[in-house]
mmCIF file of all heavy atoms in Angstrom:
data_model
loop_
_atom_site.group_PDB
_atom_site.id
_atom_site.type_symbol
_atom_site.label_atom_id
_atom_site.label_comp_id
_atom_site.label_asym_id
_atom_site.label_seq_id
_atom_site.Cartn_x
_atom_site.Cartn_y
_atom_site.Cartn_z
ATOM 1 N N GLY A 7 79.237 51.508 90.584
ATOM 2 C CA GLY A 7 80.622 51.360 90.058
ATOM 3 C C GLY A 7 81.017 52.481 89.152
ATOM 4 O O GLY A 7 82.135 52.433 88.581
ATOM 5 N N ARG A 17 75.103 71.369 103.919
ATOM 6 C CA ARG A 17 74.685 71.843 105.234
ATOM 7 C C ARG A 17 74.060 70.677 106.041
ATOM 8 O O ARG A 17 73.324 69.867 105.456
ATOM 9 C CB ARG A 17 73.717 73.005 105.097
ATOM 10 C CG ARG A 17 74.261 74.268 104.553
ATOM 11 C CD ARG A 17 73.345 75.442 104.806
ATOM 12 N NE ARG A 17 71.997 75.209 104.324
ATOM 13 C CZ ARG A 17 70.962 75.933 104.795
ATOM 14 N NH1 ARG A 17 71.090 76.920 105.573
ATOM 15 N NH2 ARG A 17 69.694 75.640 104.349
ATOM 16 N N GLN A 24 70.182 74.481 114.529
ATOM 17 C CA GLN A 24 71.092 75.389 113.773
ATOM 18 C C GLN A 24 71.734 74.583 112.645
ATOM 19 O O GLN A 24 72.080 73.350 112.790
ATOM 20 C CB GLN A 24 72.178 75.941 114.685
ATOM 21 C CG GLN A 24 71.692 76.794 115.824
ATOM 22 C CD GLN A 24 71.033 78.022 115.307
ATOM 23 O OE1 GLN A 24 71.556 78.717 114.419
ATOM 24 N NE2 GLN A 24 69.896 78.430 115.905
ATOM 25 N N TYR A 25 71.943 75.212 111.519
ATOM 26 C CA TYR A 25 72.608 74.622 110.368
ATOM 27 C C TYR A 25 74.120 74.900 110.504
ATOM 28 O O TYR A 25 74.561 75.923 110.955
ATOM 29 C CB TYR A 25 72.075 75.168 109.094
ATOM 30 C CG TYR A 25 70.692 74.601 108.674
ATOM 31 C CD1 TYR A 25 69.517 75.284 108.977
ATOM 32 C CD2 TYR A 25 70.609 73.349 108.059
ATOM 33 C CE1 TYR A 25 68.284 74.811 108.596
ATOM 34 C CE2 TYR A 25 69.374 72.879 107.682
ATOM 35 C CZ TYR A 25 68.232 73.578 107.996
ATOM 36 O OH TYR A 25 67.033 73.091 107.631
ATOM 37 N N GLU A 38 85.723 40.066 97.840
ATOM 38 C CA GLU A 38 86.410 39.541 96.599
ATOM 39 C C GLU A 38 85.466 39.577 95.403
ATOM 40 O O GLU A 38 85.957 39.575 94.249
ATOM 41 C CB GLU A 38 86.791 38.096 96.918
ATOM 42 C CG GLU A 38 87.853 37.985 97.993
ATOM 43 C CD GLU A 38 88.190 36.542 98.334
ATOM 44 O OE1 GLU A 38 87.472 35.632 97.778
ATOM 45 O OE2 GLU A 38 89.174 36.277 99.064
ATOM 46 N N ASN A 40 83.574 42.003 94.628
ATOM 47 C CA ASN A 40 83.359 43.467 94.366
ATOM 48 C C ASN A 40 82.020 43.978 94.891
ATOM 49 O O ASN A 40 81.478 44.923 94.419
ATOM 50 C CB ASN A 40 83.458 43.686 92.822
ATOM 51 C CG ASN A 40 83.772 45.136 92.522
ATOM 52 O OD1 ASN A 40 84.595 45.785 93.245
ATOM 53 N ND2 ASN A 40 83.230 45.676 91.489
ATOM 54 N N TRP A 45 80.926 51.045 104.319
ATOM 55 C CA TRP A 45 81.151 52.443 103.907
ATOM 56 C C TRP A 45 82.005 53.129 104.967
ATOM 57 O O TRP A 45 81.803 52.904 106.145
ATOM 58 C CB TRP A 45 79.789 53.202 103.824
ATOM 59 C CG TRP A 45 79.018 52.982 102.585
ATOM 60 C CD1 TRP A 45 78.116 51.928 102.390
ATOM 61 C CD2 TRP A 45 79.018 53.677 101.395
ATOM 62 N NE1 TRP A 45 77.542 51.992 101.154
ATOM 63 C CE2 TRP A 45 78.137 53.092 100.520
ATOM 64 C CE3 TRP A 45 79.712 54.790 100.971
ATOM 65 C CZ2 TRP A 45 77.852 53.532 99.235
ATOM 66 C CZ3 TRP A 45 79.434 55.299 99.726
ATOM 67 C CH2 TRP A 45 78.560 54.659 98.797
ATOM 68 N N ILE A 48 83.680 60.393 106.432
ATOM 69 C CA ILE A 48 84.172 61.399 107.338
ATOM 70 C C ILE A 48 83.446 62.706 107.123
ATOM 71 O O ILE A 48 83.295 63.157 105.964
ATOM 72 C CB ILE A 48 85.676 61.676 107.071
ATOM 73 C CG1 ILE A 48 86.502 60.428 107.337
ATOM 74 C CG2 ILE A 48 86.195 62.839 107.963
ATOM 75 C CD1 ILE A 48 87.973 60.517 106.969
ATOM 76 N N LEU A 62 84.940 86.855 102.480
ATOM 77 C CA LEU A 62 85.985 87.279 101.556
ATOM 78 C C LEU A 62 85.418 87.501 100.170
ATOM 79 O O LEU A 62 85.843 88.357 99.448
ATOM 80 C CB LEU A 62 87.126 86.215 101.521
ATOM 81 C CG LEU A 62 88.017 86.127 102.752
ATOM 82 C CD1 LEU A 62 88.982 85.011 102.648
ATOM 83 C CD2 LEU A 62 88.758 87.468 102.924
ATOM 84 N N THR A 70 86.184 94.657 93.528
ATOM 85 C CA THR A 70 86.152 94.549 92.080
ATOM 86 C C THR A 70 85.230 95.534 91.415
ATOM 87 O O THR A 70 85.559 96.110 90.368
ATOM 88 C CB THR A 70 85.677 93.072 91.718
ATOM 89 O OG1 THR A 70 86.560 92.145 92.242
ATOM 90 C CG2 THR A 70 85.633 92.937 90.152
ATOM 91 N N ALA A 77 94.955 98.408 94.118
ATOM 92 C CA ALA A 77 96.069 97.385 93.831
ATOM 93 C C ALA A 77 96.734 96.938 95.152
ATOM 94 O O ALA A 77 96.797 97.747 96.103
ATOM 95 C CB ALA A 77 97.075 97.995 92.893
ATOM 96 N N ASP A 80 103.589 94.124 96.675
ATOM 97 C CA ASP A 80 104.472 93.579 97.714
ATOM 98 C C ASP A 80 105.690 94.457 97.991
ATOM 99 O O ASP A 80 105.832 95.532 97.403
ATOM 100 C CB ASP A 80 104.883 92.131 97.364
ATOM 101 C CG ASP A 80 105.786 92.071 96.102
ATOM 102 O OD1 ASP A 80 106.318 93.053 95.712
ATOM 103 O OD2 ASP A 80 105.878 90.952 95.583
ATOM 104 N N ALA A 99 95.952 94.007 79.933
ATOM 105 C CA ALA A 99 95.336 92.749 80.440
ATOM 106 C C ALA A 99 95.896 92.417 81.765
ATOM 107 O O ALA A 99 96.988 92.893 82.179
ATOM 108 C CB ALA A 99 95.667 91.644 79.434
ATOM 109 N N VAL A 111 104.898 98.743 84.704
ATOM 110 C CA VAL A 111 103.540 99.030 84.339
ATOM 111 C C VAL A 111 103.333 100.501 84.037
ATOM 112 O O VAL A 111 102.708 100.887 83.079
ATOM 113 C CB VAL A 111 102.566 98.521 85.396
ATOM 114 C CG1 VAL A 111 101.098 98.919 85.012
ATOM 115 C CG2 VAL A 111 102.673 96.993 85.507
ATOM 116 N N GLY A 113 105.797 102.978 84.120
ATOM 117 C CA GLY A 113 106.983 103.719 83.582
ATOM 118 C C GLY A 113 107.939 104.019 84.686
ATOM 119 O O GLY A 113 107.518 104.363 85.878
ATOM 120 N N GLU A 118 109.644 106.341 89.875
ATOM 121 C CA GLU A 118 110.744 106.945 90.697
ATOM 122 C C GLU A 118 110.350 108.307 91.275
ATOM 123 O O GLU A 118 110.680 108.624 92.451
ATOM 124 C CB GLU A 118 112.035 107.074 89.822
ATOM 125 C CG GLU A 118 112.639 105.798 89.383
ATOM 126 C CD GLU A 118 113.339 105.078 90.564
ATOM 127 O OE1 GLU A 118 113.517 105.637 91.636
ATOM 128 O OE2 GLU A 118 113.621 103.835 90.374
ATOM 129 N N LYS A 122 107.313 105.853 94.179
ATOM 130 C CA LYS A 122 108.280 105.186 95.070
ATOM 131 C C LYS A 122 108.454 105.942 96.382
ATOM 132 O O LYS A 122 108.502 105.299 97.464
ATOM 133 C CB LYS A 122 109.606 105.025 94.397
ATOM 134 C CG LYS A 122 110.561 104.124 95.200
ATOM 135 C CD LYS A 122 111.831 103.872 94.402
ATOM 136 C CE LYS A 122 112.745 102.919 95.135
ATOM 137 N NZ LYS A 122 113.217 103.426 96.428
ATOM 138 N N LEU A 129 105.866 101.402 103.312
ATOM 139 C CA LEU A 129 106.553 100.189 103.696
ATOM 140 C C LEU A 129 107.210 100.280 105.039
ATOM 141 O O LEU A 129 107.531 99.282 105.700
ATOM 142 C CB LEU A 129 107.544 99.759 102.606
ATOM 143 C CG LEU A 129 106.931 99.254 101.323
ATOM 144 C CD1 LEU A 129 107.996 99.002 100.263
ATOM 145 C CD2 LEU A 129 106.164 97.978 101.550
ATOM 146 N N HIS A 136 98.026 111.328 99.458
ATOM 147 C CA HIS A 136 98.802 112.176 98.476
ATOM 148 C C HIS A 136 97.898 112.476 97.308
ATOM 149 O O HIS A 136 97.245 111.554 96.762
ATOM 150 C CB HIS A 136 100.042 111.429 98.088
ATOM 151 C CG HIS A 136 100.867 112.222 97.091
ATOM 152 N ND1 HIS A 136 101.560 113.375 97.406
ATOM 153 C CD2 HIS A 136 101.115 111.982 95.746
ATOM 154 C CE1 HIS A 136 102.212 113.819 96.350
ATOM 155 N NE2 HIS A 136 101.968 113.018 95.341
ATOM 156 N N LYS A 137 97.903 113.684 96.824
ATOM 157 C CA LYS A 137 97.165 114.046 95.601
ATOM 158 C C LYS A 137 98.061 114.639 94.561
ATOM 159 O O LYS A 137 99.018 115.380 94.845
ATOM 160 C CB LYS A 137 96.067 115.120 95.914
ATOM 161 C CG LYS A 137 94.966 114.658 96.846
ATOM 162 C CD LYS A 137 93.965 115.775 97.079
ATOM 163 C CE LYS A 137 92.892 115.329 98.056
ATOM 164 N NZ LYS A 137 91.899 116.383 98.316
ATOM 165 N N VAL A 153 95.769 107.004 98.339
ATOM 166 C CA VAL A 153 95.987 106.604 99.713
ATOM 167 C C VAL A 153 96.763 105.261 99.716
ATOM 168 O O VAL A 153 96.371 104.325 99.004
ATOM 169 C CB VAL A 153 94.692 106.375 100.508
ATOM 170 C CG1 VAL A 153 94.960 106.086 101.981
ATOM 171 C CG2 VAL A 153 93.769 107.589 100.406
ATOM 172 N N GLU A 159 101.612 92.243 109.142
ATOM 173 C CA GLU A 159 101.499 90.861 109.535
ATOM 174 C C GLU A 159 101.289 90.766 111.052
ATOM 175 O O GLU A 159 101.237 91.816 111.720
ATOM 176 C CB GLU A 159 102.779 90.094 109.131
ATOM 177 C CG GLU A 159 103.017 90.087 107.663
ATOM 178 C CD GLU A 159 101.892 89.307 106.891
ATOM 179 O OE1 GLU A 159 101.440 88.271 107.353
ATOM 180 O OE2 GLU A 159 101.447 89.802 105.841
ATOM 181 N N SER A 160 101.190 89.545 111.610
ATOM 182 C CA SER A 160 100.920 89.379 113.030
ATOM 183 C C SER A 160 102.041 89.910 113.898
ATOM 184 O O SER A 160 101.829 90.352 115.046
ATOM 185 C CB SER A 160 100.684 87.916 113.355
ATOM 186 O OG SER A 160 101.795 87.101 112.883
ATOM 187 N N ARG A 162 103.663 92.577 113.200
ATOM 188 C CA ARG A 162 103.683 93.990 112.917
ATOM 189 C C ARG A 162 104.692 94.407 111.806
ATOM 190 O O ARG A 162 104.902 95.552 111.547
ATOM 191 C CB ARG A 162 104.017 94.885 114.161
ATOM 192 C CG ARG A 162 102.973 94.739 115.274
ATOM 193 C CD ARG A 162 101.617 95.112 114.830
ATOM 194 N NE ARG A 162 101.515 96.542 114.433
ATOM 195 C CZ ARG A 162 100.476 97.136 113.857
ATOM 196 N NH1 ARG A 162 99.430 96.380 113.474
ATOM 197 N NH2 ARG A 162 100.475 98.408 113.528
ATOM 198 N N GLY A 171 93.406 104.603 94.588
ATOM 199 C CA GLY A 171 93.429 105.905 93.901
ATOM 200 C C GLY A 171 92.022 106.320 93.435
ATOM 201 O O GLY A 171 91.326 105.522 92.827
ATOM 202 N N THR A 175 89.319 114.438 89.484
ATOM 203 C CA THR A 175 89.660 115.432 88.430
ATOM 204 C C THR A 175 88.559 116.477 88.341
ATOM 205 O O THR A 175 88.849 117.675 88.275
ATOM 206 C CB THR A 175 89.801 114.773 87.056
ATOM 207 O OG1 THR A 175 90.760 113.700 87.194
ATOM 208 C CG2 THR A 175 90.286 115.743 86.040
ATOM 209 N N LYS A 189 89.568 135.211 92.187
ATOM 210 C CA LYS A 189 90.630 136.092 91.834
ATOM 211 C C LYS A 189 90.118 137.230 90.963
ATOM 212 O O LYS A 189 90.470 138.430 91.193
ATOM 213 C CB LYS A 189 91.756 135.375 91.052
ATOM 214 C CG LYS A 189 92.598 134.486 91.950
ATOM 215 C CD LYS A 189 93.663 133.814 91.174
ATOM 216 C CE LYS A 189 94.545 132.887 92.050
ATOM 217 N NZ LYS A 189 95.624 132.252 91.296
ATOM 218 N N HIS A 202 87.549 154.605 92.052
ATOM 219 C CA HIS A 202 86.844 155.494 92.963
ATOM 220 C C HIS A 202 87.784 156.520 93.564
ATOM 221 O O HIS A 202 87.493 157.718 93.616
ATOM 222 C CB HIS A 202 86.198 154.662 94.092
ATOM 223 C CG HIS A 202 85.420 155.492 95.094
ATOM 224 N ND1 HIS A 202 84.237 156.152 94.795
ATOM 225 C CD2 HIS A 202 85.727 155.834 96.379
ATOM 226 C CE1 HIS A 202 83.812 156.812 95.857
ATOM 227 N NE2 HIS A 202 84.734 156.649 96.833
#
Side-chain angles (χ1 to χ4, degrees):
R17 292 196 309 163
Q24 299 295 318
Y25 284 97
E38 296 177 352
N40 204 35
W45 282 86
I48 298 175
L62 289 175
T70 301
D80 66 17
V111 175
E118 293 288 348
K122 189 175 183 299
L129 289 173
H136 180 70
K137 294 181 181 179
V153 185
E159 297 298 317
S160 56
R162 298 302 295 171
T175 307
K189 287 181 178 179
H202 180 71

